[in-house]
Amino acid sequence: MAGSAAMPTSVARPLKAFTTLQPRPTRRTRCAPERPTALNFSAKPHLRFSKGASAPVSSDGICTQKSQLLSGTGSLKDTTQAREDLLTKSDEHFAELGLAFEWSLAPNLDELNDLFQRVGFPRRDKAKFAEALSNTHCTVWVRATRKSRMAREGQLLAFARATSDKALTATIWDVAVTPGWQRIGLGRALVERLLEALTSQGIPTITLYAEPGVVGMYEKMGFVCDPQGVKGLAFQQKRGR
Amino acid sequence: MHDHVVPASQRMAYYSSESLDEVVLRKFTQSDGTVYNVVFRKGGPVDLDDLEQLCAKVGWPPRPSAKVRIALANSFMVGTLTLEAPDPGSPAAPPPRLVGLARATSDGVFNATLWDVAVDPDLQNLGLGKALVETMVRALLRLDITNVTLFADAHTISFYSALGFQPDPQGIKGMFWFVQGRAVDGGGAEEGWGRCTPEQTCCGPGLDQKG
């Protein structure tokens, strides 16, 4: 490696710690961060588009394992109470409106693209979309349970997803509600259900990027802009590169 | 001690390689003539103890190591900076030292978010943080992941702006969710860990204060 004739004056601090070479411990935890398989905390199979691995009973007594609920070791009342904390409108409320939340059923990508187009998001290449969803930790969408003036039976009416490292952070993306079904709380309902799933897994940092028009909606749900001055940034590619 | 920046002509050879898995970013020569490289690696193994020490050195509160292991395993891309001998395989070579880290979560197609960007304070102000972030961004862009985002502490915003990141682009705001009065089980009873506190996972504190 050729050195240049004019070397910069040293600005580096002396590498004190490095030069005192301590013997390394022979046993250490190694982490190979290649693309992982899902880590299951329970014996349940990991479904695509599912809520993710089930959390065991948490320290505040909230049990999310159905088998434990049935056996009575978890507290059904506590679980219901916890759900009520986060969900402003229940599944039953939406069921009466002919709406159901789908977690494990894959959304129809043509319908999803139609929805995106209607709300002003770019349409996506279907193969890329499928790959993105398969790499998404939680996906939830709203299905019309009956035919109406505003929907075909089974039609996808709203959507949201969250990526995550499954332990420390999660980011919510692509929250969309079809125009005819807006203003009844579906966007909020989707995000609340994602929050419920993520918090039940103990993920402490949950973020999203909000367009100016919906910042107020997310603030009402408990999201905060620029906490302690921490800002969201996005890489801007230069044109013509 | 002299610091050689690896000449751009030689770095370009690495940047144009298919996978950007390993790039020598810097060479240091100690006064006794020993040479060390700072090497960027993508997808290499990360020693959790070394990472914990690095995070402590940059002033971050400790995190449950089980969670860190899971988070690394489920990150789309993990980049490390190691300080090592030019021939790390040789028996006489001192062991590599972890001096930098950045990781990205992603859906692999559309969006990515950088987290935990840290450079050992002993080696800050040498352009290593810049090289680390640039290399990660370049690797993501090569995969056609065009929306690369991050959350930055206030005092690091100018650092990231200089690298091409824009705060609140088109008025879009990054937001954090804070639990309303009920503790989230964060896997430990550590003070503050169960709640959403951005300084624990942001790209900010691991970089030099001067940006």
Side-chain angles (χ1 to χ4, degrees):
Chain A
M1 209 68 69
S4 59
M7 286 190 291
T9 49
S10 172
V11 294
R13 299 170 218 180
L15 302 173
K16 296 188 291 250
F18 189 81
T19 54
T20 54
L21 300 170
Q22 303 295 337
R24 307 287 286 205
T26 48
R27 197 194 291 179
R28 37 183 152 167
T29 38
R30 286 243 169 223
C31 169
E34 67 268 326
R35 296 285 292 278
T37 52
L39 297 170
N40 270 316
F41 295 106
S42 72
K44 280 165 57 176
H46 179 79
L47 300 169
R48 230 165 231 219
F49 308 122
S50 76
K51 283 191 192 192
S54 292
V57 178
S58 64
S59 61
D60 51 357
I62 296 167
C63 175
T64 51
Q65 293 262 30
K66 189 174 182 182
S67 59
Q68 283 184 321
L69 279 173
L70 294 173
S71 73
T73 50
S75 165
L76 183 57
K77 178 176 179 291
D78 285 347
T79 306
T80 314
Q81 186 62 46
R83 280 207 101 205
E84 281 166 10
D85 285 347
L86 267 171
L87 303 187
T88 43
K89 291 178 180 154
S90 67
D91 290 354
E92 291 69 31
H93 166 91
F94 289 105
E96 281 171 29
L97 300 174
L99 301 167
F101 294 95
E102 289 293 346
W103 292 88
S104 44
L105 187 63
N108 178 301
L109 294 180
D110 292 315
E111 292 192 9
L112 193 49
N113 263 331
D114 289 343
L115 169 64
F116 272 34
Q117 188 167 352
R118 272 187 231 118
V119 301
F121 294 169
R123 290 184 78 94
R124 307 290 201 177
D125 172 87
K126 280 168 68 172
K128 286 192 175 189
F129 224 157
E131 191 189 333
L133 292 181
S134 74
N135 291 317
T136 294
H137 181 46
C138 297
T139 302
V140 60
W141 56 283
V142 173
R143 175 175 58 83
T145 56
R146 56 196 184 223
K147 180 167 153 36
S148 68
R149 259 188 317 121
M150 301 300 297
R152 297 183 310 275
E153 185 182 344
Q155 185 179 352
L156 178 150
L157 300 174
F159 177 86
R161 67 185 177 107
T163 52
S164 176
D165 56 28
K166 305 188 186 179
L168 294 175
T169 68
T171 306
I172 295 173
W173 304 99
D174 296 339
V175 181
V177 180
T178 200
W181 290 86
Q182 288 177 4
R183 309 220 67 84
I184 59 166
L186 274 178
R188 180 165 182 159
L190 285 169
V191 174
E192 284 173 348
R193 281 156 179 78
L194 284 177
L195 289 172
E196 180 189 52
L198 296 167
T199 55
S200 76
Q201 293 158 27
I203 296 170
T205 299
I206 302 170
T207 63
L208 53 78
Y209 296 89
E211 293 184 9
V214 289
V215 167
M217 171 182 114
Y218 290 117
E219 280 176 338
K220 284 202 202 112
M221 297 179 56
F223 285 87
V224 176
C225 284
D226 304 348
Q228 295 157 12
V230 177
K231 279 187 164 300
L233 280 66
F235 185 75
Q236 304 296 307
Q237 281 186 274
K238 297 187 182 60
R239 269 188 237 136
R241 276 195 71 172
Chain B
M1 203 194 81
H2 302 299
D3 162 17
H4 301 250
V5 175
V6 174
S9 56
Q10 270 144 347
R11 271 189 292 156
M12 283 317 290
Y14 293 97
Y15 285 140
S16 65
S17 78
E18 187 68 33
S19 54
L20 270 181
D21 281 341
E22 190 172 294
V23 184
V24 178
L25 295 176
R26 280 280 192 292
K27 294 177 110 38
F28 293 108
T29 310
Q30 278 196 271
S31 47
D32 63 358
T34 338
V35 177
Y36 295 107
N37 288 341
V38 172
V39 180
F40 168 89
R41 271 191 197 85
K42 176 168 66 74
V46 178
D47 183 302
L48 289 181
D49 296 331
D50 292 348
L51 178 55
E52 194 176 328
Q53 279 178 33
L54 175 65
C55 292
K57 272 191 100 168
V58 300
W60 292 347
R63 305 180 289 188
S65 74
K67 285 196 167 234
V68 174
R69 175 161 32 95
I70 293 166
L72 285 172
N74 288 291
S75 294
F76 179 74
M77 189 180 291
V78 179
T80 52
L81 296 180
T82 49
L83 187 67
E84 56 191 56
D87 179 18
S90 99
R97 175 178 144 197
L98 181 72
V99 294
L101 182 109
R103 65 185 181 97
T105 53
S106 177
D107 55 20
V109 182
F110 301 128
N111 308 309
T113 307
L114 289 178
W115 302 99
D116 298 349
V117 179
V119 174
D120 190 313
D122 290 345
L123 287 140
Q124 288 180 8
N125 273 324
L126 301 173
L128 289 172
K130 177 172 186 274
L132 174 61
V133 173
E134 277 181 342
T135 312
M136 293 285 287
V137 170
R138 206 169 305 210
L140 292 165
L141 294 175
R142 278 179 174 282
L143 296 169
D144 276 334
I145 299 168
T146 51
N147 188 28
V148 180
T149 63
L150 57 86
F151 290 91
D153 276 9
H155 64 268
T156 61
I157 289 172
S158 59
F159 169 83
Y160 289 108
S161 296
L163 297 178
F165 286 87
Q166 190 185 341
D168 305 343
Q170 295 150 10
I172 293 173
K173 302 290 300 176
M175 303 182 83
F176 286 80
W177 190 62
F178 284 85
V179 185
Q180 309 298 326
R182 180 176 68 91
V184 174
D185 175 23
E190 291 91 343
E191 168 56 43
W193 182 239
R195 297 182 180 267
C196 170
T197 50
E199 66 267 14
Q200 290 172 355
T201 48
C202 276
C203 302
L207 300 173
D208 188 80
Q209 298 287 340
K210 304 179 203 75

